[in-house]
Amino acid sequence: MRAALARSLAVLPAVLLLAACSVLGTHDAGPSPHAAASPGAGAPGGEATQPAPSAPAGAGASASAGTPAAATVPAAPTVVSVLGDSHSGAPDSWYRLSVADSLVPGASPGVLSSHAGRTSLELRAWVGEATARGGVVLVQAGTNDILRDGAPPAGAAAGVELLVRDVLARHVRAVLVSVPPSAVHGTSTVQLNRILRAWAGVHGVPWLDVTSPVTAPDGTWLPGLSSDGVHANEAGGALMALAVRDQLPGLLGKS
């Protein structure tokens, strides 16, 4: 019995040493406090999660800048028709030498509704024809109201105003055109234009002055610009056409 006890006491230090080594080894294998606090801890697969890289500054702007800009489409020209007496339809008329010849920027020729010898009230019968293509209608009338019917300027103006209202009632824009001078009724023509211009200003209707370049202070034609005292000749028509080409482009956006 003493021999067995001696053998047990002999191996006891070895057993205690092995147990101590086992405890120390288990402690070292565990995660350290620093490891637990490291970035990415707990991420799938144990990998550190980095912030997604931000796009380089200006990258979005570069992409937008690299996109071809849409081509600018020029505005379509405005169809410009005319409703009037022989002043607008004569061979050397201001309309033929400007709009009809495609010499007015932003305008394309429309309907030439010109009826010689007709008064403003009679011209109302052709409003449908003049407005058929829409756009803008240039209205010039009143000469025959005075020359043929002997109407006073105020009476002639009332008829022209009705004509303009008829055009506007068709939902077509109107431009009121001044009446040419007259060798016989110069004073009445000056008064008529004064009345019409004032009416146009009050009602927001654009006014196209084609006659100042050819009119003397007394309302007659300047020398050499009319062969019959009523209508413009080639030189007179050319001067009136220049007035159209100068003024009308700016009026198309207002009418």
Side-chain angles (χ1 to χ4, degrees):
M1 183 175 181
R2 289 179 179 177
L5 180 58
R7 287 194 296 270
S8 299
L9 292 174
V11 300
L12 180 59
V15 172
L16 293 174
L17 180 62
L18 290 173
C21 291
S22 174
V23 171
L24 291 174
T26 302
H27 183 273
D28 289 341
S32 68
H34 297 292
S38 62
E47 297 179 357
T49 304
Q50 296 290 342
S54 60
S62 298
S64 299
T67 303
T72 302
V73 179
T78 301
V79 175
V80 178
S81 302
V82 65
L83 175 59
D85 49 34
S86 56
H87 290 301
S88 56
D92 296 319
S93 75
W94 55 268
Y95 182 84
R96 290 187 184 274
L97 298 179
S98 59
V99 178
D101 283 348
S102 300
L103 296 176
V104 178
S108 64
V111 179
L112 176 54
S113 186
S114 173
H115 308 279
R118 299 295 185 174
T119 65
S120 57
L121 294 178
E122 291 171 340
L123 287 172
R124 298 178 72 187
W126 287 278
V127 169
E129 175 185 81
T131 59
R133 295 187 59 188
V136 169
V137 174
L138 309 177
V139 179
Q140 185 186 53
T143 291
N144 293 307
D145 299 59
I146 295 173
L147 185 64
R148 194 195 77 184
D149 290 356
V160 176
E161 292 160 11
L162 283 175
L163 192 58
V164 173
R165 291 182 187 277
D166 286 350
V167 171
L168 296 175
R170 300 279 183 134
H171 304 289
V172 175
R173 295 177 290 166
V175 171
L176 187 52
V177 184
S178 61
V179 177
S182 170
V184 178
H185 301 283
T187 301
S188 294
T189 299
V190 170
Q191 293 175 1
L192 173 58
N193 279 328
R194 185 180 299 122
I195 295 170
L196 291 177
R197 184 167 192 166
W199 179 87
V202 170
H203 293 84
V205 176
W207 173 259
L208 178 59
D209 180 6
V210 302
T211 55
S212 287
V214 297
T215 305
D218 62 355
T220 61
W221 288 89
L222 287 173
L225 300 181
S226 174
S227 301
D228 60 5
V230 177
H231 303 92
N233 58 20
E234 184 177 359
L239 286 175
M240 294 167 72
L242 284 176
V244 176
R245 291 155 62 181
D246 180 57
Q247 299 173 45
L248 186 56
L251 298 179
L252 292 180
K254 299 179 182 179
S255 58

